[in-house]
Amino acid sequence: QVQLVESGGGLVQAGGSLRLSCAASERIFSNYAMAWFRQAPGKEREFVAAIKWSGDRTYYADSVKGRFTISRDDAKNTVYVQMNSLNPEGTAVYSCAADLRGLGSSRSSQYEYWGQGTQVTVSS
């Protein structure tokens, strides 16, 4: 069982930045593709970004492309998402997810393990 714990959420003004972290308990973290999803109040969960197990391929939702950057540090069993130029539409609970298949996907059904999420609130 892989446990994922997110941190780094908070309140930020529009135009600001945050970096979210997701620490994994699994010692073979490097085998997993990792992703970030978000869910705003009253809306369905949506894909934000993903990174392949090897770190050499990344994927982004069109809505965050050019503003968000996903990365991983396998030595720390941690995946990050750097979020710049945030806007109020970015207000949501952000959750990380792990996929043992390792390739990365925008489909939430591909991910076996999920964290509890961290709240990001962007004020206008």
Side-chain angles (χ1 to χ4, degrees), residues 5 12 18-19 27 31 39-40 51 54 59 92 95-96 109 123:
V5 179
V12 62
L18 281 175
R19 187 177 80 155
R27 61 183 174 88
N31 290 358
Q39 187 166 20
I51 186 166
S54 54
Y59 310 87
S95 300
C96 66
S109 60
S123 63

Side-chain angles (χ1 to χ4, degrees), residues 2 10 20 23 28 52 54 58 70 72 86 93 106 111 117 119:
V2 177
L20 305 183
I28 57 170
K52 188 179 173 182
S54 54
T58 56
I70 188 171
R72 63 189 298 154
L86 284 161
V93 174
S106 62
Y111 294 86
Q119 176 71 46

Side-chain angles (χ1 to χ4, degrees), residues 55-71:
D56 61 348
R57 290 290 301 270
T58 56
Y59 310 87
Y60 296 95
D62 287 343
S63 59
V64 307
K65 203 170 292 184
R67 299 186 297 118
F68 288 17
T69 303
I70 188 171
S71 61

Side-chain angles (χ1 to χ4, degrees), residues 75-123:
K76 297 181 178 181
N77 280 10
T78 301
V79 63
Y80 306 95
V81 61
Q82 176 67 43
M83 307 186 296
N84 298 329
S85 302
L86 284 161
N87 54 49
E89 289 69 36
T91 295
V93 174
Y94 285 71
S95 300
C96 66
D99 171 19
L100 183 56
R101 281 161 288 217
L103 299 180
S105 171
S106 62
R107 296 164 55 186
S108 60
S109 60
Q110 295 282 75
Y111 294 86
E112 294 93 347
Y113 303 106
W114 292 82
Q116 293 296 311
T118 185
Q119 176 71 46
V120 172
T121 303
V122 185
S123 63

